[in-house]
């Protein structure tokens, strides 16, 4: 935390509280990461039991969001943080909302395992898995940037979303062709399409989190700004 | 604001600030409502110009989110609100995030107007419009509950999401049948399907906002709780 210049507080207790809530976010992030990783395994091994464990595990993710949220509100009320401390709390509040939704996406992917008509060896699912691995890496990098509050790393994550969108578009086209060639498979292909969509949304969520990191460090809200302004904000020391 | 017991502040200025930020949320809500309503018109009249205006208008929605967000952060730093004032700010921060995404959904629906192959007179689009009207009503009721911080109204909105989910499932089945019967239409039916999905998500967002209202008034986070607990929380005076 020293690097984040948070150790100037007279109250050591305040420091401990900020440290604790930050650790909770990392634990929640680790949990969501594991959910996503396991959802890809469940999908590729048609493992119904694992899929059900993931669906059950999402409740834990939800509970963590609520508890971190409460802790942040308590800190604001009790410590009346200002400047960068307040920005940190704000960034955390938003980050956990996105993490919770990444958890929902993992749950969605796990449900593929429950569709017995879907063959894990099909090109379709192999490609979804490929995209899933891409997202898993992106999520890992996002959480890593968050842990270190690293603006440059956050910026790299932010840029990556374009690649994800391209993978998604390619996958959609492929799924669409598949539907046109074999109309009877449509309901199953749609299950895969929703999962692909869920993956694409994870990219957006990682992008959001990277924006909160930049907001915390740079003190500037860069949501919806153009690429040039974003690059300039990140570069400014 | 008297009803909300916010007039006890020694600082009349603080009152004015809370009043202002609350008004801003209502203005943003009104804007999003109009975007959604217009997006249905654009869809049913294949009005490309209107669709483009809606897509452009979403930038204003985004800008309002950022500006209200900043105002809330400023109030927290300056006024150090506690108890129900803090809960109000928290509820506002979350509400505007959901409103912003409802704006994105309206944008998505507007894009249907850009697909010249889609006939507004088709049963498919007529049904999407029907669902859209349902959502427009739900959004209106949500904003109304927010304006009055009415827990019972919020609870009624919350329950309504089940109806929306049923309309959505019925619509999906219909779209799926249509794809199976006419595979060449698949790309266009998918455009409609994404719009239907966007509408269904608006229901979730309205449900979220109703949860923030209950949180503000009752001081209890009821996200992810079961129906019985929710009913009890709302009933408790």
């Amino acid at each position: 935390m020293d690097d984040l210049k948070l150790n100037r507080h007279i109250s050591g207790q305040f420091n401990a509280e900020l440290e604790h809530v930050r650790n909770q976010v990392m634990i929640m992030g680790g949990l969501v990461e594991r959910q996503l990783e396991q959802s890809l395994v469940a999908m590729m091994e048609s493992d119904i039991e694992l899929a059900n464990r993931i669906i059950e595990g999402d409740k834990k993710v939800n509970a963590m969001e609520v508890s971190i949220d409460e802790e942040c509100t308590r800190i604001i009320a009790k410590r009346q943080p200002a400047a960068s401390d307040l920005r940190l709390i704000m960034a955390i509040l938003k980050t956990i909302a996105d993490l919770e939704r990444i958890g929902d996406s993992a749950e969605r992917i796990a449900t593929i395992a429950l569709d017995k008509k879907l063959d894990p060896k099909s090109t379709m699912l192999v490609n979804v898995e490929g995209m899933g691995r891409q997202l898993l890496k992106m999520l890992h990098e996002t959480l890593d940037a968050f842990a270190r509050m690293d603006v440059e790393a956050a910026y790299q994550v932010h840029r990556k979303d374009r690649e994800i969108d391209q993978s998604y578009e390619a996958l959609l086209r492929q799924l669409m062709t598949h539907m046109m060639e074999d109309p009877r498979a449509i309901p199953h292909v749609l299950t895969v399409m929703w999962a692909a969509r869920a993956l694409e949304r994870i990219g957006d969520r990682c992008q959001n989190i990277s924006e909160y990191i930049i907001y915390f460090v740079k003190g500037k809200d860069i949501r919806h700004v153009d690429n040039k302004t974003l690059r300039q904000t990140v570069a400014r020391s």
Side-chain angles (χ1 to χ4, degrees), chain A residues 15-232:
Chain A
N15 265 349
E17 283 171 14
L18 285 179
E19 178 81 29
H20 180 258
V21 78
R22 244 178 108 242
N23 280 341
Q24 290 298 105
V25 178
M26 295 317 299
I27 291 169
M28 184 180 174
L31 181 59
V32 170
E33 214 179 329
R34 206 155 52 246
Q35 289 275 103
L36 178 58
E37 208 243 319
Q38 292 291 296
S39 75
L40 298 175
V41 174
M43 175 180 84
M44 293 315 277
E45 295 180 3
S46 304
D47 188 334
I48 295 178
E49 203 187 306
L50 180 57
N52 284 325
R53 262 207 313 281
I54 291 161
I55 293 163
E56 190 59 31
D58 191 52
K59 289 184 190 157
K60 207 172 159 190
V61 175
N62 294 346
M64 281 209 79
E65 187 202 4
V66 172
S67 113
I68 297 172
D69 203 304
E70 277 173 5
E71 200 169 333
C72 287
T73 312
R74 205 160 47 230
I75 292 177
I76 294 177
K78 192 168 145 198
R79 302 291 177 182
Q80 304 166 346
S84 82
D85 296 333
L86 181 53
R87 287 206 307 277
L88 178 63
I89 304 276
M90 290 307 205
I92 287 175
L93 279 170
K94 290 176 185 168
T95 296
I96 56 174
D98 280 291
L99 285 178
E100 192 265 330
R101 281 169 186 155
I102 296 176
D104 291 343
S105 294
E107 201 184 339
R108 162 74 75 173
I109 293 151
T111 58
I112 288 192
L114 307 179
D115 187 333
K116 284 176 190 158
K117 286 270 166 101
L118 285 169
D119 175 12
K121 285 181 215 78
S122 65
T123 328
M124 200 161 70
L125 284 202
V126 169
N127 287 350
V128 170
E129 202 217 2
M131 191 181 162
R133 295 278 153 205
Q134 239 184 320
L135 265 311
L136 198 57
K137 189 159 171 281
M138 188 179 184
L139 175 59
H140 189 81
E141 286 164 0
T142 305
L143 292 171
D144 197 49
F146 185 90
R148 295 182 288 114
M149 284 297 164
D150 181 333
V151 171
E152 187 55 40
Y155 178 66
Q156 293 309 326
V157 166
H158 203 276
R159 284 166 58 97
K160 213 172 231 183
D161 193 47
R162 214 173 307 166
E163 283 169 40
I164 303 287
D165 287 347
Q166 282 164 359
S167 303
Y168 174 63
E169 293 299 333
L171 189 52
L172 270 197
R173 274 194 300 275
Q174 193 204 353
L175 294 173
M176 218 185 285
T177 310
H178 193 65
M179 284 198 272
M180 291 168 93
E181 281 167 3
D182 182 8
R184 283 164 315 157
I186 287 175
H188 310 290
V189 180
L190 277 176
T191 304
V192 179
M193 206 173 252
W194 296 129
R197 170 90 180 151
L199 283 172
E200 186 266 338
R201 299 294 291 138
I202 293 176
D204 296 339
R205 310 246 171 245
C206 287
Q207 200 173 38
N208 290 347
I209 295 173
S210 74
E211 290 174 0
Y212 312 143
I213 296 168
I214 296 169
Y215 161 76
F216 164 65
V217 179
K218 296 290 179 179
K220 210 169 159 6
D221 194 330
I222 46 91
R223 286 177 292 181
H224 318 297
V225 304
D226 58 48
N227 274 333
K228 200 179 150 201
T229 314
L230 175 59
R231 179 68 266 187
Q232 284 169 346

